[in-house]
Amino acid sequence: MAKNSKINQIINKTVSNEWFFLTKRSDIPPLPAWYKIKYSALSQENKKIYGVGIPWACFWYDNNTEFYLHGKEYRLAIQRATKILYSKHNFNKHLVKIKQTCRDAQKSALALKNKHWKNFDDRQIQEIYAHSIKKYVLSYVYGFITWCTPVLQNDAKIIINNYSVALKKIGISPDQALGMLIIPDDTTAYQQKEKAIVKLSKKYKNVLDKYESEKFLLDNHPQLHSEIKKFLDKYCWVGFNYSGPVLDYKAVVKELLQSQDSIKSEKLPTKEEICKFCKFKAKEKHIFYALGMISYTKDLRNVTDDYVHHCFVNFYDEVSKRVGLRKQDIQFLWDDELNELLAGGKKITRKYIQEKEKFCAAFASPESVGVRQYYIGDEARNQREHISKNSNQSLILKGSPSDIIKGTVASTGTAIGIVKIIHNLREADKVKKGDILVAGMTSPKYMPAILNSGAIITDDGGLTCHAAIIARELKKPCIIGTKIATDILSDGDLVEVNANSGVIKIIKKKTSDTKKTHLANSE
């Protein structure tokens, strides 16, 4: 591990402002996000692990959710997490807790899904739900370490580049080698699902070439039809995120067909072969191992999110029936509003929900950041403008040339193509062959779009994020961690992606209006 002065330098460069812009996602309703913020980052367990409670700011608008962390506390959390990551004993203990808490969260959610709600009154259903939330939040506390890896990623890059000459002898670049070395040995439902897709695609290639409809398979190829149904029974919830939808028959067939096109014959050295040839030191091996298991942890946390929220839908359905609101309205409540609603002490109107859907904000630990907990409308907008101006997001936007975006190289290569921005699964179909996929962050549910893309660009993520791993597997150019790509770029822009240097150049904007509203608001 680097010396303390170097560690602090890396951390301070990563988190250099009062607020740190963590990520922007779409389709995350306030209620589940607020549980993570309020009850995990500020919990005693969080302070025990990371040494500090971390104030958050969160904003919902235009179907987007933005997350910010207060810089001072986040820096301290990274310092504490770095010590865990570099200690083999402590890191493995932490992994055990992550796996345990994720199992507990899924088990608790399953119990909630299977309840016959008519047998319980309002107070009882809230108690059952609260128990699941408690388990769910704890899994996020331990999983938060995945946001604390800048030192680890920096060291991994330095180490692998030191072996560039040796790697060249076995026909592999440092980036390719790093991609192989940080593939985790453990697998989650995401990898298991993808392997099952590839297996089915190869087994029924001739049949799939003639596919017409579900009825066609049922009548002419009942065995494949049956296997698809079994696949759905096992994996329908994978990629559910917060609000669905679940995977359906047509989506599975589409993935099967696209999987055939993505199979590559090029054979790279295995992880074992790279290690044997390079003869890495024990400390170097641990860094690659830790990054690989961070990648696994990210997927495990996302799998847990998918499964838990798939189960929670039953609870939201039941509450909506009892209080006269829509299911999606329930997810736009704060937790105390939900509790009061079920206790009969508060009435929530559609007008109020509509105002929250337009623009709302929530702050954890308001006493330490000088603001109250909730905001709606213009007050929320004003708070977001203030936070954004005092964050790394503002510096990135102001410091970037109008036609250049920079990020971290995740998978080398170059590509020129038309930008297609993906905010959610419903937009995945607009990515055609050779388009440049741009997203806040990718996930397994975006695989059809990823397979079509000529290159991938993300706002968020590190070397172990989903986009980075998949891009290396598919040999697609990929630049991650730009922070601003979805704000600067628009559908239809023509761009050049140079994933050898980490630069995206805008060749031609679709319209003459080159500044988006977000950029204008940040200046």
Side-chain angles (χ1 to χ4, degrees), residues 35 120 168 206-207 217 268 278 292 339 352 365 372 465 474:
Y35 282 125
F120 302 93
K168 189 175 181 180
N206 294 333
V207 174
L217 291 184
L268 291 173
C278 291
N339 294 339
Y352 171 73
S365 189
R372 67 176 189 263
C465 73
L474 298 178

Side-chain angles (χ1 to χ4, degrees), residues 344-488:
K346 186 169 186 174
K347 297 297 181 184
I348 302 291
T349 65
R350 270 293 299 146
K351 183 179 179 181
Y352 171 73
I353 297 295
Q354 288 170 343
E355 287 300 309
K356 286 188 73 173
E357 288 174 337
K358 290 177 184 176
F359 216 118
C360 65
F363 286 79
S365 189
E367 68 277 5
S368 66
V369 295
V371 292
R372 67 176 189 263
Q373 201 166 40
Y374 306 128
Y375 296 85
I376 296 177
D378 288 341
E379 286 189 323
R381 291 183 181 89
N382 292 338
Q383 287 295 334
R384 182 193 168 276
E385 183 177 357
H386 172 76
I387 296 298
S388 179
K389 283 182 177 179
N390 289 281
S391 74
N392 56 313
Q393 178 79 331
S394 176
L395 289 179
I396 294 169
L397 286 166
K398 289 180 179 178
S400 298
S402 59
D403 61 343
I404 295 291
I405 301 171
K406 295 181 179 180
T408 300
V409 174
S411 178
T412 56
T414 61
I416 296 176
I418 300 298
V419 166
K420 295 294 174 64
I421 299 178
I422 302 299
H423 297 292
N424 52 58
L425 181 59
R426 295 184 295 275
E427 297 179 335
D429 285 344
K430 69 182 183 182
V431 179
K432 307 304 179 186
K433 286 289 184 182
D435 285 343
I436 308 301
L437 189 160
V438 181
M441 182 178 285
T442 68
S443 71
K445 64 183 178 180
Y446 290 171
M447 279 308 297
I450 290 170
L451 292 171
N452 276 336
S453 69
I456 304 167
I457 302 169
T458 70
D459 289 341
D460 305 320
L463 297 176
T464 59
C465 73
H466 177 264
I469 293 170
I470 293 299
R472 289 190 290 260
E473 288 181 3
L474 298 178
K475 317 275 188 308
K476 289 181 184 285
C478 179
I479 297 176
I480 55 174
T482 66
K483 294 295 181 184
I484 57 173
T486 59
D487 288 301
I488 300 295

